[in-house]
Amino acid sequence: MMHILNRNHLLDPNEIRGEIRVIVEKYHSDRTQLLAILRECQERWRHLPALMITIIADEMDLPRVHVDGVATFYHFLSRAHRGNYTVYVNRSATAEMAGAAAIMKAFEKEVGVPFGQTTADQQIGLRTTSCIGMCDQEPAVLINEVVFTRMTPARVKKLVKAMRADVPIHEMLGKLGEGRNGSRAIHSEVVNNIRHKGPVFFTEYFPGSALKQAMEVGSLDVIEQIKASGLRGRGGAGFPTGQKWGFCRAAEADTRYVMCNADEGEPGTFKDRVLLTEMPELIFEGMAVAGYAIEAKEGILYLRGEYAYLKEHLEHVLTQMRSRHLLGRRILGTRFSFDIQIKMGAGAYICGEESALIESAEGKRGQPRNRPPFPVTSGYLRRPTIVNNVETFGCAAKIVLNGAEWFRKMGTSASAGVKLLSIAGDCAKPGIYEIEWGKSVREVLELCGAENVLAVQVGGPSGQCISEREFDRKLCFSDLGTGGAFTVFSKKRDILSIVHNFMEFFKDESCGFCVPCRAGNTLLLKALEKIMVGNGTHADIEGIKSLGQMVKTASRCGLGQTSPHPLLTSIQNFFEVYRDKVRNDVDYLSQFDLRFAVIDSCVAANRKPNLELEGRDERDVKEVSDGTGSC
Amino acid sequence: MEQGHVNLTIDGKEILAKDGQTIVQAARDNGIFVPTLCDFRSLNPAGTCRICTVKVAGRFVPSCTTPVSYGMVVENETAELTDLRRALIEMLFVEGNHMCPSCEKSGNCELQALAHRYRIVVPRFPFLFPVQKVEARLQHLFIEHKRCIQCLRCVRGVKAKDGHDIFGFIRRGSDVRIALDVNDPDAVSEETAKKAMEICPVGALIQKRVGFKVPIGQRKFDRKPEGSPS
């Protein structure tokens, strides 16, 4: 590993400039590749100090504040040194349930620094991160883009030892996963856990067959077919796919773009990871079919930074498809040319929002755009663009192959076809399930072997938290729509801690652009914490409901428009939990808590508080108890 | 109907707007007050503050980025919207540290003026008391991050002589803040500082050595409170 040679050496500006120039030239000084350039620099030097930002801005002839804005937006880019080995521990709700806290403790003990810091020799950095799409094999960690699943404290010890000895990261892997996870290009211990196959995915399929069929019927008929199939977007919002393609095709332009949203960031979702592992040909072919339908020449797969371990595999598949004339110039000997490039994210949930994804693909901060104009008329590089979910492209390819009627017959009248569910949490068989729309929550729970269920989070944190009373509700767009996350919580779980985890997630992942989402989510989290420590009243519950509604209505994009859902749906479905936690004897209690104020001042004075610390985060307490005195 | 114009109603009042205008522009042209903060003259709308939110066909939309359309029915001064706008202003107050009596922008501050208009005495939300340093190293400009409302007016409107960006937006979530390219000689000119202070709706960008040139009581909103008829 090159970078290890650099350890403890001061960075030489001239040397850095030379190397950066090589990286920038590799990307032809293309501004839309700024994020890729920053990713490379981060990987090379393990951080992006101010000096480096200045050099990159110079070399790319961009305003320095612009480069700084992008470099400080993404979670995997950092001003401070993240260590030659950067450990990211996933802190999603399912990770916590599987014991992420013990894993973190073990890392802190072995490495000797707390999370958020890097060792003095810059060898190991410890960070936490949002859901990395491994909910069915938690606790999972990412180290230098390599995924380690089903971690144990004993394994932490081994890994840390190996990191200290400069062992190459791939040599630390355990048993490789099944299917293509074990291939040379992926080489990962991630497992697929495909539990329930259906007629659409993970069945026999011959690459090129859908494209051939599409070219036989003609581009306009492809759009008509997709419309007739009733296919709706699989990312969660459920916009009719055929209509989207139709709008885009109707928009006048010199060129159009097809984008595949593989920024699978909704905590609890991991089906796109499995699709991209096992069926990338189908997804890419779906994109090519879309390109043929809307008369586009270029496609972009936007892959979340967490799935960087799949990139080589995907590039390999693209190369293969090109050599078989399924991509590239003159596809299948026709006049249709279409190619796909992969663009990487760098840790930002918001980039799953389609306009933020476009901004990010253009190498900018992943901030959503104002609408109108919509991407179908002004998207990537201001050209008409369709952005569809990975699964949607897979469905589209199969619809073209098997006909609209075939698809329409599955599912319900308003929700045609099948849905891939990512099932995780308290159940015997977590993994991927292909089900027809219209199944009830209860049926799915039986399928995955879940017992003693307290709650199910349908559609991830931005979806709904439902209780047993509603288990007969059906998974479909007219009842419980979902992007695929289906997270089960058994009766031993605490609803408020789960909601807290989700609200922290939204607070961390808000882009910060608009006031209701930026300030509102912070205030919602604070209000929940007030209730959790026992200082809440009924007025606080009402306050959350009112503020939550405002955040939903006034926010600029889907993040803020759904982020209060964990609170609002749990207050609705688990009101008793809140009722039992708030004070019934008083109408109002101030946010000010003398106990915490004392703790804070003791921390400042480096003294140990003589107080009960119920409800306070364990690590804050640790920080306090490190003090010597007492107050 | 005139060519290039559309009819719409705002709170029941029929108005004529130019095709392509946003709701807020149409309202202004017709003497209807819609509160704004991040909107500034000819700058491209950003849509950060959401204070201009109105209701159209049952949906909440920001009026600064939503174009007018024929027959549009806009709700503006309803109890529901007033409460929402008040809440947004309160969020800005608790998110920063706004001490009006000690702020040079008092009387010229748009946030303060809106708080007066919406009769905000105490915010309903707890103060977050962010710890933010004052940037005072520049020759002509103070940057008071604790007063910044991230409206991005400076980012959009204050440029270097050759037109390139000197103000930017960095970090994300509740950590977002504006940043100034201090390596750029334009960033510290007196002229730029003056322009920055003018464009800033609050007291986040303060030009040095002009404090209290206009006495309190004789400032913009002292003479003409926000939203008073023009």
Side-chain angles (χ1 to χ4, degrees), chain B:
Chain B
M1 196 176 81
E2 286 173 60
Q3 189 85 45
H5 284 69
V6 291
N7 293 77
L8 66 150
T9 69
I10 298 183
D11 288 337
K13 188 183 168 197
E14 278 216 25
I15 63 164
L16 198 62
K18 290 191 201 97
D19 206 1
Q21 271 189 322
T22 60
I23 298 173
V24 84
Q25 287 166 339
R28 250 179 226 153
D29 283 0
N30 285 275
I32 296 169
F33 177 72
V34 178
T36 56
L37 262 180
C38 66
D39 188 60
F40 186 76
R41 294 182 205 158
S42 58
L43 295 183
N44 273 338
T48 61
C49 77
R50 318 309 277 179
I51 280 160
C52 70
T53 299
V54 293
K55 211 169 174 182
V56 177
R59 288 187 57 211
F60 293 86
V61 296
S63 56
C64 68
T65 61
T66 308
V68 292
S69 63
Y70 180 75
M72 194 180 234
V73 179
V74 180
E75 290 176 46
N76 176 36
E77 288 219 349
T78 63
E80 186 186 28
L81 285 169
T82 299
D83 189 40
L84 175 66
R85 289 166 178 174
R86 189 179 285 146
L88 289 167
I89 297 164
E90 290 172 3
M91 283 182 211
L92 288 172
F93 269 95
V94 301
E95 191 190 36
N97 294 335
H98 297 274
M99 311 296 170
C100 298
S102 63
C103 179
E104 163 57 20
K105 204 63 181 271
S106 184
N108 287 325
C109 171
E110 294 175 33
L111 181 66
Q112 182 192 42
L114 278 174
H116 284 157
R117 172 162 177 107
Y118 284 93
R119 304 195 185 290
I120 294 167
V121 182
V122 176
R124 73 193 77 176
F125 309 116
F127 282 97
L128 299 173
F129 299 123
V131 179
Q132 299 268 21
K133 281 186 182 146
V134 183
E135 276 186 55
R137 61 191 157 149
L138 298 173
Q139 200 189 341
H140 299 290
L141 191 73
F142 288 114
I143 307 180
E144 282 268 20
H145 289 288
K146 66 183 183 191
R147 296 177 189 154
C148 179
I149 58 169
Q150 330 295 345
C151 66
L152 308 187
R153 274 162 51 159
C154 57
V155 176
R156 286 172 290 153
V158 185
K159 306 279 172 175
K161 279 198 190 79
D162 65 356
H164 77 250
D165 290 348
I166 44 174
F167 278 95
F169 197 34
I170 62 167
R171 304 186 195 164
R172 79 169 185 212
S174 46
D175 293 330
V176 285
R177 54 187 279 185
I178 55 156
L180 180 58
D181 185 354
V182 289
N183 298 336
D184 196 310
D186 285 347
V188 288
S189 80
E190 192 169 0
E191 199 185 332
T192 310
K194 184 166 182 277
K195 176 145 197 219
M197 183 166 178
E198 269 169 23
I199 216 165
C200 180
V202 291
L205 300 175
I206 299 283
Q207 189 187 354
K208 290 185 178 174
R209 293 174 290 276
V210 297
F212 300 97
K213 268 197 178 155
V214 180
I216 299 278
Q218 291 172 33
R219 295 178 172 196
K220 187 178 170 192
F221 297 111
D222 297 332
R223 284 178 278 132
K224 187 169 168 289
E226 181 73 319
S228 45
S230 41

Side-chain angles (χ1 to χ4, degrees), chain A residues 376-391:
Chain A
V376 285
T377 57
S378 175
Y380 185 67
L381 303 178
R382 302 283 159 187
R383 300 301 196 293
T385 304
I386 54 164
V387 183
N388 282 124
N389 182 259
V390 174
E391 189 184 344

Side-chain angles (χ1 to χ4, degrees), chain A residues 75-110:
Chain A
H75 187 59
F76 294 149
L77 305 177
S78 158
R79 176 68 45 99
H81 203 289
R82 290 248 166 120
N84 296 322
Y85 293 91
T86 319
V87 178
Y88 290 101
V89 175
N90 176 19
R91 294 215 67 186
S92 68
T94 46
E96 295 285 354
M97 282 155 60
I103 300 303
M104 288 177 66
K105 210 179 252 174
F107 268 115
E108 287 186 332
K109 182 169 164 250
E110 296 302 325

Side-chain angles (χ1 to χ4, degrees), chain A residues 1-203:
Chain A
M1 281 186 172
M2 269 276 283
H3 58 251
I4 285 169
L5 301 174
N6 256 7
R7 187 191 307 162
N8 293 338
H9 286 226
L10 284 175
L11 298 170
D12 170 4
N14 291 323
E15 216 171 281
I16 293 177
R17 187 178 285 274
E19 274 196 61
I20 287 178
R21 190 167 289 164
V22 173
I23 296 172
V24 169
E25 274 166 15
K26 189 173 95 187
Y27 289 98
H28 312 292
S29 305
D30 181 355
R31 290 177 185 199
T32 70
Q33 297 287 4
L34 177 58
L35 183 53
I37 291 165
L38 290 169
R39 278 183 59 97
E40 276 209 38
C41 294
Q42 171 79 37
E43 197 182 325
R44 164 72 180 82
W45 288 284
R46 317 307 295 169
H47 67 326
L48 303 168
L51 168 75
M52 216 176 278
I53 301 291
T54 307
I55 296 174
I56 295 169
D58 265 7
E59 292 297 323
M60 296 195 68
D61 197 22
L62 283 169
R64 191 187 179 283
V65 282
H66 180 96
V67 179
D68 204 16
V70 177
T72 53
F73 187 84
Y74 296 91
H75 187 59
F76 294 149
L77 305 177
S78 158
R79 176 68 45 99
H81 203 289
R82 290 248 166 120
N84 296 322
Y85 293 91
T86 319
V87 178
Y88 290 101
V89 175
N90 176 19
R91 294 215 67 186
S92 68
T94 46
E96 295 285 354
M97 282 155 60
I103 300 303
M104 288 177 66
K105 210 179 252 174
F107 268 115
E108 287 186 332
K109 182 169 164 250
E110 296 302 325
V111 175
V113 296
F115 270 80
Q117 289 187 26
T118 303
T119 53
D121 64 355
Q122 298 185 335
Q123 181 71 342
I124 305 174
L126 298 182
R127 300 292 187 278
T128 57
T129 195
S130 301
C131 186
I132 60 171
M134 302 291 158
C135 307
D136 57 340
Q137 44 209 298
E138 293 289 352
V141 303
L142 274 176
I143 305 177
N144 294 10
E145 300 189 344
V146 173
V147 188
F148 295 85
T149 63
R150 292 165 298 243
M151 289 291 295
T152 59
R155 196 165 177 213
V156 169
K157 201 168 178 173
K158 266 200 227 159
L159 288 182
V160 173
K161 204 172 156 202
M163 289 189 266
R164 289 217 189 281
D166 289 337
V167 174
I169 192 74
H170 280 101
E171 288 175 23
M172 299 180 201
L173 283 170
K175 185 173 167 257
L176 299 186
E178 85 279 34
R180 291 164 103 171
N181 288 303
S183 70
R184 238 179 53 136
I186 301 185
H187 196 75
S188 167
E189 59 181 60
V190 174
V191 291
N192 292 328
N193 278 335
I194 302 167
R195 305 278 187 177
H196 195 267
K197 290 188 185 180
V200 178
F201 298 104
F202 314 114
T203 54

